Every structure is written in structure tokens, then in C-alpha cells.
Amino acid sequence: MTPDAAQELRYNPAEIEPRWQERWAAQPDLYATEPPESGKPKYYVLEMLPYPSGQLHMGHVRNYSIGDALARYMWMQGYNVLHPMGWDAFGLPAENAALKNNTPPREWTLSNIAHMHKQMDRLGLSYDWRNEVTTCLPEYYRWNQWFFLRMYEKGLAYRKQSKVNWCPQCATVLANEQVVNGCCWRHEDQIVEQRDLEQWFLRITNYAQELLDDLNQLEGWPEKVRTMQRNWIGRSEGAEVEFAVEDAASISEDEQQRRGGTAILPAGETVKASGQSIRVFTTRIDTIYGATSLQLAPEHVLVKEFSAADEKLAREVDELLEQQRKAREAGDVGAIEKHGVFTGHYAINPFNGERLPIWVGNYILADYGTGAIMSVPAHDERDFEFAHKYGLEMRVVVLPRRTDEPTPDGEPEEPLLPFTSEESILINSGDFNTLGCQEAQQKMAAYAQENSFGQAQVTFRLKDWGVSRQRYWGTPIPMIHCEKDGIVPVPDDQLPVLLPPQIEITQQGGSPLGRDPGFVNTTCPKCGGKARRETDTMDTFVDSSWYFYRYTSARNDKAPFDTDTVAYWFPIDQYIGGVEHAILHLIYSRFWTKVMRDLGIVKNDEPATRLFTQGMVIKNGAKMSKSKGNVVSPEDMIARYGADATRMYALFAAPPDRDLDWQEDGVAGVSRFLSRVYRLAMRHAERAKQASGGAEANSATEQALLRKLHQTIRKITEDFGGRWHFNTCIAAIMELVNTATAAEAAIQNGEVSDAVLRELLRNLVLLLAPFAPYLAFELWDQLGEQDNLLRAPWPKFEEALAREDEIEIPVQINGKLRSVIRVAAEATQDTLRDTAMADEKVAAAIEGKQVVKVIVVPAKLVNLVVR
């Protein structure tokens, strides 16, 4: 092809891309893994699997383009790459769609999967679909049930009556992690209610300390994700103390009329305990002598008991509950205006025998700690605020350590209240006076244990994972309720417990499965009598807690996966997904891995060595979402500009870890750049194909081209190994193309050899391959290359060729830029100093002044200090 003929060619992705898509589809093993015996190092790169809503959005495209670029790069680096994809296919949206469209959830879900699969293929994503996982199919969810049974055997799965989070719109229970600012994680304006239900739980708390400790191993995870998990696990060291409740019958009528004061019993006098007690967890047992009341959550069991005998108290407690509800609706219970009511009852401080009034506070939560606190107003900000409002006593029992002179009366001044520092000493604390706070905490906890009213304790904010859901489209929990034998697990040989293929969904009156006699009625596997199946289904986060293990042997019908295969591939080398999954998904998957390790079927402690959280795609100031009406369809972008331009823009517009502000003009700009690459390569493809021998720089133009080429190779190679700033990688490729285009006249005049031209174009295509695979494969073919581009060796840069002959060095005077000098790249410090001093602008600026010091940073900077 002559250059003039090639000039007339136009890049047409609508013609090129489908042709290559068809060729790739004809090679089912194109993206296949190799056996461990291949001797290649393994690399498992994974993007979080999507929910099959029916349409990809640009957030998906960005996520998958990052993973795809990395997978392609690692193949070219000679790794055995596992790059799978699947579908998080159970969940409430399918039921909502069934209600709206009268389409069975299975039909709706599988139809969406087929469409999204086509979209992914059209984007040119390098997935080996032979490892595809679809979590709503029996061959997958049978293993959810198998895992549940193993956990039940080990006491990790259990059922109990519990106060649970209920979303009226979802008509189901939510885990604590699915409640965000008091609202449903799916319905941001829906206040979550509290209900008492019998539910299935997984004992994630058994692994709380290990989940916390092992975060230190995850150095390849973003610190913000590790911090979020540390805060959610919420380890607190302290002590539990039992406060005996005073028998109301032993209190005089006059005393019962008192509202809120404390009273220390006279020496030798005792009170009659009711036999009940209030268990309090505190991180500051050293302040217990300063406790002047106890505060209970409105839903505490004792509050219910007190309210049952006191109508006025019951009404006041209801008001406190309503205030809590409104605070949840506002999204910040911690900022609630504090209100409380005295119950008329007292408890006994076990350290000093003091009678403490028992109050109910709207800022105390039933599911946090024990639902009860000891109130120490002088040394706690919230307690101070409450006591100030209700006129409760404030007693100082901790003073700051003083290093200066005491006041004239010989005592240190009392601190400004509330005083919360632990760098302090105790006063007014009996035998514990003068102890430092931390020493006192240890000794007082030991004293409580010796006297059988408390002990040192570690608590966690993390609660057991409630996995029961009252909906149809999820994994049936494999348990049976028998009148004779109680709860009986389904035998392994009866798995999977299948979902009925179609069922009436009303979101009314509990689980839809409970209205299907064919599902509910069964035979007890233990006694052979009539029994009922469990009608709750599993939280869909069960599905996503272990799916990445199934990818390694997705067609295994004997076990969840092959243990030896998992041992080869795990842990995941690079996991990619949104930071919004830092708690919900990632902490559950870490827990599941540790359970599987303890079952002896995996050897790794953590699922993924490295985690990357990409930024969101923003349009019109908000995250793209259907509810905001600002979604951009990848199909529209592909139809206008091609898949390569759409993908490449998603990587070019911003660093991958930052939010991307969507601009369609940017896609058009990338498309124009790819057209330039196509024309450049096609104009010179014939000469490049004819080249022989090595590329040597025999002219200034050749030297400039090879220098820019090797600088670009170095830049992109280093970025893949470190920062992942693919935007600057693509910018470097653009600079390389600009340099090549500027040299075209010299190329036409024969000043550039065919060998240098081939070196330039061949490596340009290799560098482009992770970001724009369709165009790269097309140009690879046009250049006459016979090797499979996917596994063609990644180019290596030569430092000598990448080095600049001359570099620019800024010259500062007293820290201010005054000039820029050009020197040889290898210039010594003496040369840099002398050249800077001889520069006209510098000489003029320092004339008549004394040069005190010359600071030279080789290849970076010269700074003159003058006066």
C-alpha cells in the first residue's frame, strides 16, 4: 500500500471491532489458563462480579477496563493468568421486577445475564467464560447450603429470637452492615425498623479478633478500607461490672418519692437486692467511684419490666423510643438531643455500696454494648451533657498529673469538666487513690473478678451476621423443622434444596416460600415423620463471600472447588472493586475464607493480597444511577466511537482511584487519537514489514524516535508495577505518537530506516494492547506479525536509549525560580554549579550580592543562597 493510498484510509471501529470479536469468539481457549505444570508464575486478577440488572453502566466499564488492562499486561509479561467473570444473581431486584413486569425472577435474571454477557464481549473484555459462575443456579447455591451445614455442625450457624433490622420496602431483614445512617442500604430514604424475629445467624464474632489482627497483613489494601474495617470491628478493652438492682420493697415511701439523687448507705447498713442486676461494660472502670447514675436503653429488658408496672414511665419510655426513631431518620443517632426519665429504681455500686438512680436515656442503644452504661458526668462528655440537663451530681475522681507547683492550699486545681484524659491519677476512689488511670483499670478489674461482680473484658462492635431473609429469590436455608426432633439439618445427599421454579411474590406476610405447600411440606430425615422446611432464604452476601474460589473449578459437581487447584491460585493477586464494598462484602469474604481454612479446604488466611478501589463515574455532579437519570449507556458510546475509545476514555480521563467526571467530548477525543494511530501505522506498515536487522540510531531523527519510544516503554512498565496511573500511561503513548507524526517528513525522505520504523510501530502496538485491544490486534495483523498478540512479550526498555542527551535544570535564588539551564544528562555537580553561575539571568540577579551557599541536586535543581 502506498502512503498516499493509506492516507485515504479512515479508522472504522464499527467494521474492525466486530470482525475481531468474531475471531476471538472462535478461539474458546484464547483466555484460558495453563496448568500449574507450565512453570509460569501465576496471576489471579479479578473484578467484583456484577448484579445482572440487564445493563452495564460506565462504572462497570471503568472497573472492568482496569482489570482487563492488567490481565493483558500480565499475559504479555509471561504469567499464567486467571481472569474470570460471573453473576451475583440472587437478590431483591429480581423480585421487584417480577412484581412490576409479571416475569419470573429466574427468567428475568437469566435474560439480563445473556444481554450483559454480550455487552462484555462487545467491549472486548478478556474473560474465560468456561469458568463462568451464576449464583442463582443450583450447581452453585447447593454449595452455599453445604457450607451452611458445615457451619451448623461447628456451632457457627445458629437460630435465635433477636431484635432485627427490618426494611418495609424490602419486606425483609437486613444485617447490621446493611443499615446506613439508620436507613436501608438499597433504599436511602427508608427508615429501618426494629422487630423481634427468630432468625439464623453466623458467628462472625468468633473471628472478630483475627479479622482485626490480620488487617495488618493486608499491606496491599488501601489504608482507608483497612481503617473502615477496624472501625466496624470496633475492639474495646475494658471491664464488665454487675450492679445489683435494689428491691423496691425495701425502700421507704419518702425515698421512692425522690427523683434522681444518689445516697451512700450509712456504715453497717445493707439493702435488700432484688435478685436482678444490670451488666455494664465500661472502658473506664477507673472512674467508677464517680458514677452518679445508671442509664439504660429504652428497650432494655429491665425497662420493659419497670414500665409494665408504671403507666407513666411506660408513656415516657415510648416518647424516648420515638425520639430515637426520628434520630435514625435524620441519619445520626449520635447527635440526638439527650432526654431521659428516672425509673424510680436504684442499683448498688459494688465498689462503694452507693445507691445509684436508674434512668432511661434516649441516647443509649439496645444493640450497643450491653444496652446499659454507668454515668460518670465529670469524666465523660455525653454523661456531662445529660447530668447538666437533669441536675445530676458531678463528682471528680480523676485529676491531671501535675508537674508544676500545687495551689497555695497544697492541692492541685480541679480540671475543667468533663475531664477525660487517662494521663491522670485517681482521687475520691477509696483504696485506689493515687493510682494512675491505666494501673487502676487493671487493679479494679481484678478486684471485681476476685469479688465475683465483674471482670476484664474485650468487646467488639461487630455483631453476628444475620443471614435470614424473608424472600423467595435466594438460597433456601437447608434446615427442617420437626415437631418431634426440633431443627434437623438436611442431609448432604439431599442437596440442593431447590427453589420452586415459579412462585407468587407479594412481599406481604413473611417469606413467599411459606405459601408454597409443595416446598414447605416434607419428611423429617431423622424420624421419618411430617415436617416443614425452613422458609427463609440466605442473605445474598453469602453468594459473594466465596464465589472467587468457585472460579478455579466452576464445573466441579463433587465439591465447592478442587482444593489443590485453589491452593495454586490463591490468594487472589489483585482484586478490583468499589470502596462501597469495604464493609458489606469484603469483611464477609474474609470471614468465609477463615472458616474454609478451619474446615481444611483452603490453606490461605485471606482471600486477596492486593485490593484496588476505583473511583466513581460522576455526571452532572452525581454518581451515575438510574434513579438520578444520569446513566450513560456503553452501547451508545460504542455505536458512536467504538469499544476501544469508550474503554480508553474510562482509563484516560482520571487516575483510576479518583472519581471520573463524565464528558462525552472526551470519548470523541480519544476516538480521534486512535484514528491518528491507525493512519500512522497504516501509512508505514509495508515498509515495517519489509524490515530486517536490528534498529540502530544513525541519525538525529532516529535517535529522537528511539529515545521517546524507550522512555514510553519505561513509563508504562513502571506504572503497571506501581501507581496504576493509566491516564499518564495513555498520555505518554499520545506523546510518542506526536513525536512519530512530527518525524513523518523525515520518514518519507528516507532519514529513518525500515528497521527503526518497524521497532517504533511494533512496540507502539504492544504498548497500546492493554488499553485498546481491538485496534492493537488489527495493527498487529497489518504489520505482518504472526504471534498471538495476547501473549506477545511485553517490550523492554533500554536505559541508555531512554536517557536524554540534555536535560533542563531549574535555577533558584533564595528559593525563587530565576532561570532554566540546559546541560548534559550526565553533568556533574560542579558543571551544574558553574553553568548556573554563568547564566545571564542568574548573573544579573546576584550582581553585588554575596553567594553564601550553592545547593545542587543532581539532575533536579540548583539553588543559590545569597544576601
Side-chain angles (χ1 to χ4, degrees):
M1 179 184 300
T2 65
D4 289 340
Q7 179 70 38
E8 300 303 316
L9 288 175
R10 291 293 180 267
Y11 175 57
N12 183 5
E15 184 272 327
I16 291 173
E17 292 181 354
R19 173 158 44 82
W20 279 101
Q21 182 184 345
E22 185 176 341
R23 289 177 65 172
W24 293 338
Q27 305 175 63
D29 60 347
L30 179 63
Y31 306 122
T33 60
E34 299 178 55
E37 301 78 50
S38 67
K40 294 182 177 180
K42 69 92 179 177
Y43 198 85
Y44 187 174
V45 55
L46 180 66
E47 304 98 67
M48 293 180 183
L49 82 176
Y51 181 80
S53 61
Q55 296 288 336
L56 294 180
H57 54 69
M58 291 309 302
H60 288 124
V61 173
R62 192 182 194 201
N63 185 10
Y64 305 150
S65 296
I66 293 169
D68 193 67
L70 180 60
R72 292 176 180 277
Y73 173 78
M74 297 309 291
W75 266 308
M76 297 172 76
Q77 284 284 15
Y79 282 80
N80 185 14
V81 177
L82 175 60
H83 187 215
M85 180 49 68
W87 313 97
D88 194 9
F90 272 139
L92 189 65
E95 294 192 29
N96 291 340
L99 286 168
K100 183 178 180 180
N101 305 319
N102 196 30
T103 304
R106 178 185 171 94
E107 179 182 331
W108 183 83
T109 301
L110 295 182
S111 174
N112 288 346
I113 287 173
H115 181 71
M116 292 173 73
H117 189 150
K118 289 181 180 178
Q119 289 182 302
M120 290 181 175
D121 284 345
R122 182 62 185 87
L123 282 163
L125 299 169
S126 58
Y127 299 129
D128 183 358
W129 290 107
R130 296 177 304 177
N131 295 320
E132 182 180 10
V133 163
T134 304
T135 63
C136 69
L137 298 181
E139 53 263 35
Y140 184 85
Y141 70 71
R142 106 180 246 194
W143 300 111
N144 286 345
Q145 296 170 344
W146 184 88
F147 279 121
F148 188 93
L149 294 173
R150 301 293 81 77
M151 292 189 193
Y152 182 76
E153 291 168 357
K154 287 187 168 290
L156 294 175
Y158 67 99
R159 185 173 172 87
K160 70 172 181 178
Q161 185 83 10
S162 175
K163 190 170 294 298
V164 296
N165 307 303
W166 180 271
C167 174
Q169 287 194 57
C170 294
T172 191
V173 169
L174 304 178
N176 289 335
E177 292 82 358
Q178 293 165 319
V179 180
V180 181
N181 295 326
C183 296
C184 173
W185 70 298
R186 287 192 180 277
H187 305 104
E188 297 176 359
D189 57 351
Q190 176 61 63
I191 302 302
V192 172
E193 300 174 359
Q194 298 292 301
R195 293 191 180 184
D196 289 313
L197 293 175
E198 197 164 12
Q199 299 285 289
W200 286 98
F201 291 84
L202 300 182
R203 294 190 196 276
I204 191 173
T205 53
N206 280 19
Y207 290 84
Q209 188 63 54
E210 188 179 359
L211 287 167
L212 181 64
D213 291 342
D214 286 358
L215 287 170
N216 296 326
Q217 299 179 17
L218 301 178
E219 296 179 356
W221 286 38
E223 185 55 38
K224 63 182 177 182
V225 172
R226 295 198 290 172
T227 297
M228 290 169 72
Q229 291 208 3
R230 285 190 188 98
N231 292 340
W232 188 260
I233 295 168
R235 187 181 193 273
S236 295
E237 295 183 14
E240 281 191 353
V241 180
E242 296 279 348
F243 290 76
V245 176
E246 188 177 39
D247 186 353
S250 69
I251 309 172
S252 68
E253 290 186 10
D254 289 342
E255 184 60 35
Q256 291 187 44
Q257 294 300 317
R258 294 186 59 210
R259 304 290 288 181
T262 59
I264 294 184
L265 298 172
E269 184 176 336
T270 60
V271 299
K272 182 180 179 182
S274 66
Q276 297 171 312
S277 64
I278 297 172
R279 185 167 54 91
V280 168
F281 173 80
T282 176
T283 60
R284 293 297 305 275
I285 192 174
D286 55 307
T287 66
I288 197 167
Y289 281 84
T292 56
S293 66
L294 295 186
Q295 312 288 342
L296 305 184
E299 295 169 304
H300 194 284
V301 63
L302 271 182
V303 175
K304 294 181 179 179
E305 183 177 321
F306 296 157
S307 298
D310 186 336
E311 291 184 5
K312 181 175 183 295
L313 177 62
R315 289 193 300 270
E316 292 172 323
V317 169
D318 285 343
E319 291 177 10
L320 299 179
L321 283 167
E322 179 63 14
Q323 292 161 9
Q324 273 193 2
R325 187 193 68 78
K326 290 181 178 179
R328 284 193 176 93
E329 186 172 347
D332 188 2
V333 178
I336 191 172
E337 181 181 352
K338 295 171 180 58
H339 292 282
V341 57
F342 176 49
T343 64
H345 294 263
Y346 293 83
I348 309 302
N349 186 331
F351 273 86
N352 61 7
E354 187 173 66
R355 301 172 67 237
L356 303 180
I358 302 172
W359 285 66
V360 184
N362 67 351
Y363 67 105
I364 310 299
L365 303 178
D367 59 353
Y368 189 80
T370 63
I373 68 165
M374 65 177 199
S375 181
V376 185
H379 304 294
D380 181 273
E381 292 181 3
R382 293 193 313 168
D383 297 347
F384 178 86
E385 181 182 343
F386 189 87
H388 187 268
K389 183 170 189 171
Y390 289 100
L392 301 180
E393 181 187 355
M394 300 186 192
R395 185 183 308 141
V396 174
V397 294
V398 173
L399 286 179
R401 294 183 185 274
R402 299 298 297 263
T403 58
D404 54 351
E405 292 297 320
T407 55
D409 61 4
E411 294 293 333
E413 295 179 358
E414 287 199 359
L416 181 67
L417 301 183
F419 177 69
T420 60
S421 172
E422 293 187 51
E423 296 299 318
S424 314
I425 59 173
L426 270 60
I427 63 169
N428 301 324
S429 299
D431 294 339
F432 302 97
N433 281 337
T434 73
L435 292 179
C437 288
Q438 295 179 359
E439 181 183 2
Q441 288 166 14
Q442 296 176 0
K443 290 188 174 181
M444 294 170 90
Y447 178 81
Q449 184 163 353
E450 290 168 6
N451 290 275
S452 302
F453 60 77
Q455 61 183 348
Q457 186 76 1
V458 173
T459 66
F460 295 90
R461 181 174 183 263
L462 181 70
K463 305 299 180 185
D464 280 343
W465 177 8
V467 294
S468 288
R469 298 294 178 267
Q470 292 69 43
R471 59 182 180 228
Y472 159 64
W473 195 235
T475 299
I477 293 177
M479 306 300 287
I480 291 171
H481 299 272
C482 174
E483 290 186 6
K484 177 183 176 184
D485 295 311
I487 296 177
V488 180
V490 173
D492 285 2
D493 61 8
Q494 293 182 20
L495 299 181
V497 177
L498 293 171
L499 277 177
Q502 192 166 346
I503 200 167
E504 181 185 7
I505 300 172
T506 64
Q507 292 189 322
Q508 300 293 326
S511 172
L513 291 174
R515 295 189 295 276
D516 183 348
F519 176 83
V520 173
N521 297 326
T522 188
T523 300
C524 174
K526 189 172 182 180
C527 71
K530 293 181 179 180
R532 293 176 57 83
R533 290 194 185 278
E534 173 62 64
T535 58
D536 285 352
T537 54
M538 296 185 198
D539 181 8
T540 55
F541 281 100
V542 168
D543 305 326
S544 58
S545 290
W546 69 279
Y547 74 99
F548 29 74
Y549 290 92
R550 183 70 175 174
Y551 280 142
T552 64
S553 46
R555 302 296 167 258
N556 193 328
D557 62 355
K558 306 297 182 185
F561 44 75
D562 180 74
T563 296
D564 291 339
T565 305
V566 161
Y568 171 74
W569 284 109
F570 271 80
I572 298 165
D573 295 281
Q574 184 66 64
Y575 200 19
I576 303 167
V579 72
E580 65 270 20
H581 300 293
I583 299 299
L584 288 168
H585 162 57
L586 290 172
I587 205 166
Y588 290 152
S589 63
R590 295 181 61 224
F591 160 67
W592 210 275
T593 290
K594 294 178 189 304
V595 171
M596 292 193 299
R597 177 204 61 199
D598 291 347
L599 290 173
I601 58 176
V602 305
K603 297 178 180 178
N604 49 298
D605 294 324
E606 293 287 341
T609 302
R610 293 175 57 85
L611 172 71
F612 184 84
T613 53
Q614 84 279 1
M616 296 185 294
V617 178
I618 306 295
K619 185 182 180 189
N620 301 331
K623 177 184 177 181
M624 280 191 185
S625 69
K626 291 181 181 179
S627 63
K628 293 182 174 64
N630 64 350
V631 170
V632 174
S633 167
E635 290 181 331
D636 291 344
M637 294 298 100
I638 291 171
R640 295 178 197 174
Y641 307 108
D644 277 346
T646 302
R647 290 170 45 143
M648 204 164 175
Y649 171 73
L651 298 175
F652 175 62
D657 58 337
R658 309 273 182 84
D659 290 347
L660 185 160
D661 190 7
W662 178 264
Q663 301 290 337
E664 186 174 335
D665 288 348
V667 189
V670 172
S671 178
R672 290 192 295 271
F673 166 70
L674 294 177
S675 295
R676 289 182 61 209
V677 173
Y678 179 76
R679 293 194 299 270
L680 172 70
M682 293 299 290
R683 281 195 292 268
H684 308 292
E686 289 301 320
R687 280 186 59 189
K689 283 196 286 189
Q690 297 170 9
S692 60
E696 296 182 1
N698 296 312
S699 69
T701 301
E702 291 177 332
Q703 185 178 22
L705 286 172
L706 290 176
R707 178 187 303 121
K708 193 66 177 178
L709 172 63
H710 283 264
Q711 288 174 345
T712 306
I713 296 171
R714 179 177 61 191
K715 162 69 177 169
I716 297 175
T717 303
E718 291 175 350
D719 252 7
F720 265 110
R723 300 185 309 158
W724 278 23
H725 282 192
F726 296 147
N727 55 318
T728 60
C729 291
I730 295 169
I733 295 174
M734 291 177 173
E735 291 179 12
L736 174 62
V737 172
N738 288 341
T739 300
T741 302
E744 281 203 273
I747 294 173
Q748 299 284 13
N749 293 334
E751 297 175 30
V752 176
S753 70
D754 290 353
V756 169
L757 193 57
R758 179 178 184 274
E759 180 81 359
L760 172 69
L761 295 180
R762 187 179 188 279
N763 284 294
L764 171 61
V765 171
L766 290 170
L767 295 173
L768 201 61
F771 309 112
Y774 282 114
L775 177 58
F777 268 78
E778 175 69 13
L779 295 180
W780 192 250
D781 193 51
Q782 293 293 339
L783 290 172
E785 298 289 345
Q786 300 300 313
D787 295 337
N788 177 3
L789 176 59
L790 185 71
R791 289 171 171 79
W794 182 257
K796 298 185 183 300
F797 66 89
E798 295 182 29
E799 192 61 53
L801 290 175
R803 188 181 302 119
E804 291 279 4
D805 288 341
E806 287 189 339
I807 55 177
E808 292 185 340
I809 301 293
V811 181
Q812 298 178 345
I813 298 177
N814 291 341
K816 293 184 178 181
L817 181 67
R818 294 297 186 184
S819 187
V820 176
I821 58 175
R822 290 193 63 84
V823 296
E826 64 276 6
T828 64
Q829 293 192 41
D830 289 344
T831 301
L832 287 170
R833 183 190 63 240
D834 294 344
T835 305
M837 297 287 287
D839 182 81
E840 290 183 4
K841 293 180 181 179
V842 174
I846 64 176
E847 185 177 0
K849 298 178 181 178
Q850 179 186 359
V851 178
V852 178
K853 190 175 184 180
V854 179
I855 301 169
V856 178
V857 182
K860 297 289 185 182
L861 173 73
V862 177
N863 184 34
L864 279 62
V865 181
V866 303
R867 64 185 178 192

